[in-house]
Amino acid sequence: QVQMVESGGGLVQAGGSLRLSCTASGSIFRIDPMGWYRQAPGKERELVASITQEGDTSIANSVKGRFTISRENSRNRVYLQMNGLQPEDTGVYYCNAKIRQTKWQSFRDYWGQGTQVTVSS
């Protein structure tokens, strides 16, 4: 069994900052990669950023220069530091991870419960 718990969302003014965190727990052999998706009202879920176990990152063009993704070395934890937030960043942010529970199993997608980020002007 795998659980993913995320936190850090909230209401901020334009130009403000938030840091999201997500921790996976349970039966885990390997996690690679971990990432963050977001979904705005009336829009499809989109990839914001991802990071591999080795530290290679991918960041959406819309948030480059403002968002930073990081991964804690000894924990199954991923962060998303969001600076210079804008109203268009508003949405529900979901943590995602591909996890192998044992070395004999394939990777599967797991999702956090979602955390609301609201940016006011």
Side-chain angles (χ1 to χ4, degrees), residues 90-104:
T90 294
V92 179
Y93 284 68
Y94 297 91
C95 178
N96 170 262
K98 290 187 178 295
I99 298 175
R100 291 177 69 185
Q101 291 191 275
T102 72
K103 65 173 66 178
W104 298 281

Side-chain angles (χ1 to χ4, degrees), residues 10-16 85-87 90 117-121:
L11 173 63
V12 298
Q13 293 183 334
L85 284 163
Q86 302 171 11
T90 294
V117 172
T118 303
V119 185
S120 64
S121 59

